[in-house]
Amino acid sequence: MADTPETLTLTLDGGDVTIKLRPDLAPKHVERIVELANEGFYDGVPFHRVIPGFMAQGGDGGRGDGTGGSSKPNLKAEFSAEPHVRGVCSMARTNQPDTANSQFFIVFDDARFLDKQYTVWGEVTDGMDLIDALPKGEPPRSPGKIVKARAA
């Protein structure tokens, strides 16, 4: 995937979050994230589940309740040994491994108990303070939103 973008930018109300994409770990998941971002799928989508000390989850297509996804087929898991530590971006799924679609989460702190069970596709390289500042809750009373998401 030589033409795969290197980064994904999530524009939030307070600024930009830069995510280094990891096609070396999860080429199909990176391809999906890039495709959805550049189609505008994530624009206006809230972080519907933000748990202090754990993670911020979004990408449900704007429903805001965590039940949505894209119209694209679910992806086969691409698990790796990459650790789930602060700033890591990984795919959300049901209790079945091959059900990741569009939802993702960004880890606040060490969450190594998720290792080899969820697909890591990127890591925040700039703007983690904006993720830290997202309103907390499941769902938050007034959730933070992705204003725009684009791969470059």
Side-chain angles (χ1 to χ4, degrees), residues 120-141:
V120 174
W121 57 267
E123 76 181 87
V124 174
T125 58
D126 190 45
M128 192 62 194
D129 57 318
L130 297 170
I131 300 300
D132 290 334
L134 288 169
K136 311 303 186 265
E138 298 183 64
R141 186 167 287 173

Side-chain angles (χ1 to χ4, degrees), residues 87-111:
V88 161
C89 304
S90 196
M91 292 301 280
R93 61 173 178 80
T94 69
N95 60 355
Q96 298 300 313
D98 299 332
T99 57
N101 184 287
S102 64
Q103 292 192 43
F104 64 90
F105 59 92
I106 301 172
V107 179
F108 287 126
D109 291 312
D110 187 316

Side-chain angles (χ1 to χ4, degrees), residues 32-33 35-37 39-42 45 59-63 67-75 91 99-103:
R32 171 67 57 83
I33 292 285
E35 179 180 26
L36 291 173
E39 289 175 359
F41 179 83
Y42 294 118
V45 173
D60 72 352
R63 293 179 59 118
T67 64
S70 78
S71 61
K72 300 176 188 315
N74 289 342
L75 295 165
M91 292 301 280
T99 57
N101 184 287
S102 64
Q103 292 192 43

Side-chain angles (χ1 to χ4, degrees), residues 9-92:
T9 301
L10 302 180
T11 300
L12 307 182
D13 282 336
D16 289 342
V17 176
T18 304
I19 298 170
K20 175 185 173 188
L21 297 172
R22 297 291 310 270
D24 57 314
L25 299 177
K28 295 294 184 191
H29 286 74
V30 168
E31 181 179 14
R32 171 67 57 83
I33 292 285
V34 167
E35 179 180 26
L36 291 173
N38 289 342
E39 289 175 359
F41 179 83
Y42 294 118
D43 297 358
V45 173
F47 283 92
H48 62 270
R49 186 172 178 229
V50 183
I51 303 171
F54 181 31
M55 59 88 211
Q57 183 175 333
D60 72 352
R63 293 179 59 118
D65 62 5
T67 64
S70 78
S71 61
K72 300 176 188 315
N74 289 342
L75 295 165
K76 183 164 176 49
E78 294 177 293
F79 299 154
S80 69
E82 192 69 17
H84 283 77
V85 293
R86 181 170 171 76
V88 161
C89 304
S90 196
M91 292 301 280

